């Protein structure tokens, strides 16, 4: 166990919230508000000799809205968990056990202790620790009315790095993406009539020949058209996203992203040069940067 684990373990059994009395005794008006809000028409709650709904347990002793929180062990534990990187929290379950019915006139108190803190577990939300606390509700004689086990997952939010969407790679365009991985911008050329074409395809649209090779592009081009995408947002991209049609020196056009420029500085026909975006180990894509902005 690390020193950090020891510090966490020291919290197990500790009182997080000292015994706190409910502001009011259990009473019919609050029961009435509750069952009306919940739409619960069980006659046991508002008839002769009423009982309070079990689900109200927490409500009786809940700190009033606006009443100051008391700093204490709970804040210390939250700070210690945050120190370990466990900054996010999600409630995972609440297990309420009743010892007896709660009835109008009961004066309740609640106290809360830490029951357990799990070793770090890997969850879908990120690595985290399950913190289980036990609330004990008592009446005026200190008799236990109910217990509530409350489990939360305190977790390190998982990195949200999302890969770029995959292009659909097939036998007709594979060569282009393979060249891109080597930081080479290529254009498909018909072997028969020498026409360049992009996007690539199996057959020459000019002479219908299936024979082709490639030529290496200079990487210079001009801005033919562009759009600025704001929505919808995909987590793999930075916004506003500049999407351009670039006309290469060789004459073919390709759809790409622009970098090193804001939309305000874009103008149709401006000269551009290729750069390479190694998006992830499997995917490299050309992007284009204005080549005349530096001169201003
Ligand atoms: Zn051809």
């Amino acid at each position: 166990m690390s020193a950090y684990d020891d510090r966490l373990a020291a919290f197990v059994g500790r009182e997080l919230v000292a015994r706190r009395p409910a502001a009011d005794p259990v009473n019919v008006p609050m029961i009435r508000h509750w069952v009306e809000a919940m739409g619960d028409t069980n006659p046991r709650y508002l008839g002769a000799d009423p009982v309070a709904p079990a689900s109200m347990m927490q409500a009786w002793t809940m700190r009033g809205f606006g009443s100051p929180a008391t700093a204490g062990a709970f804040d210390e534990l939250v700070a210690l968990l945050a120190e370990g990187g466990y900054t996010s929290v999600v409630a995972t379950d609440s297990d309420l056990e009743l010892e007896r019915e709660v009835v109008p006139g009961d004066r309740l108190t609640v106290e809360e202790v830490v029951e357990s803190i799990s070793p770090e577990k890997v969850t879908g939300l990120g690595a985290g620790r399950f913190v289980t606390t036990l609330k004990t509700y008592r009446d005026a004689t200190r008799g236990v009315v109910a217990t509530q086990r409350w489990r939360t997952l305190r977790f390190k939010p998982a990195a949200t790095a999302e890969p770029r969407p995959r292009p659909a790679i097939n036998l007709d365009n594979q060569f282009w993406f393979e060249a891109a991985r080597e930081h080479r911008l290529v254009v498909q050329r018909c072997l028969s009539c020498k026409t360049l074409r992009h996007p690539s395809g199996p057959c020459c649209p000019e002479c219908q020949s299936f024979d082709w090779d490639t030529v290496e592009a200079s990487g210079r081009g001009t801005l033919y058209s562009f759009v600025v995408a704001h929505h919808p947002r995909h987590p793999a991209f930075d916004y506003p996203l500049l999407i351009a049609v670039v006309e290469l020196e060789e004459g073919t056009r390709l759809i790409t992203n622009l970098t090193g420029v804001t939309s305000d500085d874009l103008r149709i026909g401006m000269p551009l040069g290729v750069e390479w975006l190694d998006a992830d180990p499997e995917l490299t894509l050309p992007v284009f940067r204005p080549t005349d902005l530096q001169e201003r």
Side-chain angles (χ1 to χ4, degrees):
M1 290 224 302
S2 69
Y4 180 75
D5 287 325
D6 289 340
R7 288 165 67 201
L8 274 183
F11 268 91
V12 176
R14 245 182 100 174
E15 187 175 71
L16 273 196
V17 178
R19 184 175 302 136
R20 179 174 70 207
D24 298 294
V26 173
N27 61 83
V28 171
M30 279 175 69
I31 295 174
R32 186 188 314 284
H33 290 307
W34 179 277
V35 297
E36 282 181 4
M38 296 296 168
D40 190 333
T41 55
N42 188 327
R44 285 291 282 127
Y45 299 140
L46 292 173
D49 299 323
V51 301
S55 52
M56 272 190 84
M57 190 61 66
Q58 242 183 311
W60 297 114
T61 54
M62 212 167 247
R63 191 164 56 81
F65 186 71
S67 63
T70 47
F74 181 77
D75 295 330
E76 276 177 54
L77 177 57
V78 169
L80 181 58
L81 287 162
E83 186 188 317
Y86 310 107
T87 53
S88 296
V89 60
V90 62
T92 60
D93 67 68
S94 165
D95 186 7
L96 182 68
E97 213 168 303
L98 247 69
E99 300 294 327
R100 69 164 174 83
E101 300 276 25
V102 169
V103 296
D106 271 331
R107 291 193 155 271
L108 301 179
T109 63
V110 67
E111 74 233 27
E112 185 172 12
V113 298
V114 179
E115 194 175 63
S116 64
I117 300 176
S118 79
E120 187 175 280
K121 312 253 191 208
V122 177
T123 77
L125 292 168
R129 291 174 186 263
F130 289 93
V131 177
T132 306
T133 66
L134 181 67
K135 287 180 177 170
T136 303
Y137 298 88
R138 298 177 192 272
D139 59 22
T141 69
R142 299 279 188 260
V144 175
V145 172
T147 55
Q148 185 178 24
R149 238 171 223 96
W150 180 249
R151 183 172 296 123
T152 54
L153 172 65
R154 298 266 168 179
F155 62 99
K156 304 172 182 173
T160 53
E162 177 124 355
R164 278 177 85 105
R166 306 282 89 182
I169 295 177
N170 55 43
L171 286 176
D172 295 322
N173 63 16
Q174 196 175 348
F175 73 93
W176 191 89
F177 287 100
E178 281 170 0
R181 269 216 296 278
E182 298 164 0
H183 293 191
R184 293 186 302 115
L185 184 61
V186 296
V187 186
Q188 194 176 29
R189 176 174 62 180
C190 172
L191 268 184
S192 168
C193 73
K194 306 298 180 192
T195 303
L196 299 176
R197 63 180 189 260
H198 186 88
S200 52
C203 174
C204 175
E206 299 297 322
C207 74
Q208 286 75 52
S209 166
F210 283 88
D211 299 321
W212 57 269
D213 66 357
T214 61
V215 295
E216 202 126 341
S218 68
R220 288 186 295 271
T222 54
L223 183 58
Y224 183 80
S225 182
F226 67 92
V227 293
V228 181
H230 296 276
H231 294 285
R233 296 193 168 206
H234 185 287
F237 297 97
D238 294 325
Y239 292 84
L241 179 63
L242 306 181
I243 302 165
V245 179
V246 172
E247 185 160 87
L248 297 183
E249 228 171 35
E250 290 76 14
T252 55
R253 296 173 190 153
L254 83 159
I255 296 173
T256 179
N257 292 134
L258 299 176
T259 188
V261 62
T262 62
S263 56
D264 290 344
D265 288 328
L266 293 178
R267 53 186 170 76
I268 300 300
M270 74 195 302
L272 302 167
V274 73
E275 283 186 11
W276 294 97
L277 171 69
D278 293 310
D280 57 58
E282 283 87 44
L283 184 65
T284 296
L285 294 168
V287 293
F288 282 77
R289 181 189 290 270
T291 50
D292 66 346
L293 283 183
Q294 292 88 337
E295 293 159 21
R296 292 203 209 155

